[in-house]
Amino acid sequence: MKPSGFVSLLKDSKIKRSCFCALFPTVSVLCLILLLGSDFVADHKEKSLQWKLEKVRSSCENQCRPNGSEPLPEGIIARTSNLERRPLWGYPEKKEPSKYLFAAAVGIKQKETVNEMVQKFLSSDFVVMLFHYDGIVDGWRSFKWSNSVIHISALNQTKWWFAKRFLHPDIVDEYSYIFLWDEDLGVENFNPKRYISIVRDEGLEISQPALDIGKSEVHHQITARGRRSRVHRRTYKAGDTGIQCDYTSAAPPCTGWIEVMAPVFSKAAWRCVWYMIQNDLIHAWGLDMQLGYCARGDRTKNIGVVDAEYIVHYGLPTLGEPEKKKNLTVGGENITSLGKQAPSQASTLNFRVEVRRQSYNEYKIFKRRWKQAVEEDKCWTDPYPESVK
């Protein structure tokens, strides 16, 4: 007879074996589920990761980056610039950055007129840039403001040549309005801040101050000052061109038009105008007739002449005028030093006439280019077909 302890042990062993056999299928199933589940989870994670990578890749491909910046991380890209000067060490004085830019092509002969303009605009918190077409920069050092403005010098170039090269839209993007003026303008009755306030209120994208008809050289009636209005957008009188204007007129120079001796552009309009300025047509004749395409809407509403703030246009012949004491060289001989008279053709050469002739030639070239561009661009629709001649 077996001892009771052995029987008890045997029973316990059988129970354990029985329990193990019962648990084994369950554990096996659980292990299989875990194995399959881990594969499923891993596969799901991989697919999820691939989807996220594809989404990131797609968003990167659709990212609008400046051309040439692709090798750089997005956060380091500086898309625009400005004309604010920085100290060589330390930090600049904290002040509100300028929101407006005044630029003009100038010569030393008009320094007093330019001085009045510069003082007006500097006192109104403008950034001022002077384009020196006569190459003389040191002659302006006598003015206290000389070190406060930006000087750019290139001999015998027009303001449009300078503007195309130094006023790129990305450079002047921080300035709400760009004034691009001639040098022969009187500003006694002009206040830059009040002018900007009016332009904003009226929604003018392209504008100019009216001309004082009693003191100015006026070529187009639309630029003449109206004493009873704050702003006007059309004229009903014929100018020097002889074009008749009335209330039905819908094209320049009767409406939707300014002259280009003192234009003022919103930064959005300037971005468009800059692209229209031809690199090689430096006098920009004909550009004024097409400015309406850059008015960001109806040119008869978004282009205007401000009567409340007006200027004087002296109409001085400056660019292209030869120095009186300049020696004339013909065929390698200095006529002045030899004490001889210059040949009649050379002595009668009028430099201003030559400038005007070149301007007219460029006007014809610009018209041809515009016509060709319109014909070639099948995706472009002219919003002003009535102006086509």
Side-chain angles (χ1 to χ4, degrees):
M1 189 172 188
K2 294 182 180 179
S4 60
F6 177 77
V7 174
S8 176
L9 180 64
L10 184 63
K11 287 181 178 180
D12 289 344
S13 178
K14 287 180 178 180
I15 291 170
K16 288 181 179 179
R17 192 183 303 114
S18 166
C19 290
F20 176 77
C21 290
L23 288 173
F24 180 76
T26 305
V27 172
S28 299
V29 171
L30 288 174
C31 289
L32 182 61
I33 292 173
L34 288 173
L35 182 62
L36 294 174
S38 64
D39 289 341
F40 175 78
V41 171
D43 184 59
H44 177 72
K45 285 184 176 179
E46 185 178 355
K47 288 183 178 180
S48 178
L49 180 60
Q50 288 179 351
W51 179 78
K52 288 181 179 178
L53 289 173
E54 289 177 3
K55 186 177 180 180
V56 170
R57 192 179 298 112
S58 176
S59 65
C60 291
E61 290 174 354
N62 295 328
Q63 212 173 34
C64 186
R65 288 177 173 236
N67 186 31
S69 70
E70 294 82 5
L72 304 177
E74 174 70 16
I76 202 64
I77 298 172
R79 295 173 181 268
T80 61
S81 184
N82 58 35
L83 300 171
E84 299 292 337
R85 287 178 291 186
R86 308 286 298 182
L88 291 177
W89 59 84
Y91 297 96
E93 178 185 350
K94 289 186 177 180
K95 62 177 183 178
E96 192 71 23
S98 299
K99 297 180 180 178
Y100 317 112
L101 170 66
F102 172 80
V106 303
I108 197 67
K109 291 182 179 180
Q110 309 305 328
K111 64 186 299 184
E112 295 305 325
T113 302
V114 174
N115 175 45
E116 293 178 7
M117 285 196 286
V118 170
Q119 290 190 74
K120 282 261 185 178
F121 284 96
L122 284 179
S123 64
S124 296
D125 300 322
F126 275 65
V127 168
V128 173
M129 177 183 285
L130 298 182
F131 304 131
H132 299 278
Y133 62 76
D134 58 0
I136 300 175
V137 176
D138 288 340
W140 300 84
R141 302 297 182 193
S142 58
F143 294 116
K144 293 181 179 180
W145 48 258
S146 182
N147 291 333
S148 301
V149 308
I150 299 169
H151 300 269
I152 297 178
S153 175
L155 196 61
N156 290 330
Q157 301 304 309
T158 70
K159 72 175 180 181
W160 299 106
W161 183 93
F162 285 105
K164 186 65 174 178
R165 287 149 183 82
F166 300 104
L167 297 183
H168 187 280
D170 289 346
I171 299 295
V172 299
D173 185 69
E174 293 190 10
Y175 305 105
S176 301
Y177 292 93
I178 294 93
F179 290 60
L180 185 59
W181 285 17
D182 289 348
E183 61 183 333
D184 57 340
L185 303 174
V187 293
E188 181 181 355
N189 300 294
F190 182 81
N191 183 292
K193 284 187 175 180
R194 286 201 299 263
Y195 183 90
I196 288 175
S197 178
I198 294 171
V199 166
R200 277 191 175 139
D201 289 345
E202 296 285 341
L204 298 179
E205 296 288 333
I206 301 175
S207 63
Q208 75 159 82
L211 303 182
D212 184 337
I213 57 176
K215 301 178 181 178
S216 300
E217 183 176 301
V218 179
H219 300 291
H220 298 274
Q221 282 298 315
I222 197 171
T223 63
R225 182 190 177 215
R227 296 181 179 273
R228 299 180 180 179
S229 59
R230 187 167 79 151
V231 169
H232 69 268
R233 293 173 170 84
R234 61 170 55 245
T235 183
Y236 302 94
K237 298 179 180 179
D240 291 348
T241 59
I243 297 175
Q244 295 297 323
C245 300
D246 56 36
Y247 70 94
T248 64
S249 300
C254 300
T255 185
W257 187 83
I258 60 162
E259 206 166 0
V260 290
M261 96 280 285
V264 179
F265 306 97
S266 71
K267 70 176 181 179
W270 175 248
R271 180 170 290 275
C272 172
V273 171
W274 186 89
Y275 283 109
M276 188 162 51
I277 300 171
Q278 304 295 287
N279 209 46
D280 56 332
L281 305 183
I282 63 171
H283 295 286
W285 273 31
L287 193 72
D288 54 350
M289 301 298 286
Q290 309 299 66
L291 288 179
Y293 290 93
C294 294
R296 303 182 72 231
D298 187 345
R299 65 183 176 185
T300 65
K301 296 179 180 178
N302 295 352
I303 298 180
V305 178
V306 178
D307 299 301
E309 297 297 326
Y310 58 98
I311 59 175
V312 175
H313 179 217
Y314 297 117
L316 301 175
T318 52
L319 185 62
E321 184 181 14
E323 294 289 340
K324 292 181 180 179
K325 296 182 180 181
K326 186 176 181 180
N327 293 337
L328 179 63
T329 301
V330 177
E333 291 186 322
N334 188 299
I335 301 298
T336 306
S337 62
L338 293 175
K340 300 177 182 179
Q341 289 186 349
S344 59
Q345 183 178 358
S347 62
T348 58
L349 182 65
N350 187 318
F351 289 87
R352 288 299 301 172
V353 169
E354 293 303 312
V355 167
R356 196 168 186 84
R357 181 179 290 115
Q358 178 65 25
S359 300
Y360 184 68
N361 289 337
E362 290 190 3
Y363 172 63
K364 291 189 292 185
I365 294 172
F366 181 77
K367 286 181 67 177
R368 286 199 301 267
R369 287 183 185 177
W370 183 275
K371 182 180 179 181
Q372 181 179 353
V374 170
E375 292 173 350
E376 292 177 351
D377 192 342
K378 304 305 179 183
C379 298
W380 185 76
T381 302
D382 192 345
Y384 307 113
E386 71 280 0
S387 62
V388 177
K389 295 182 179 179

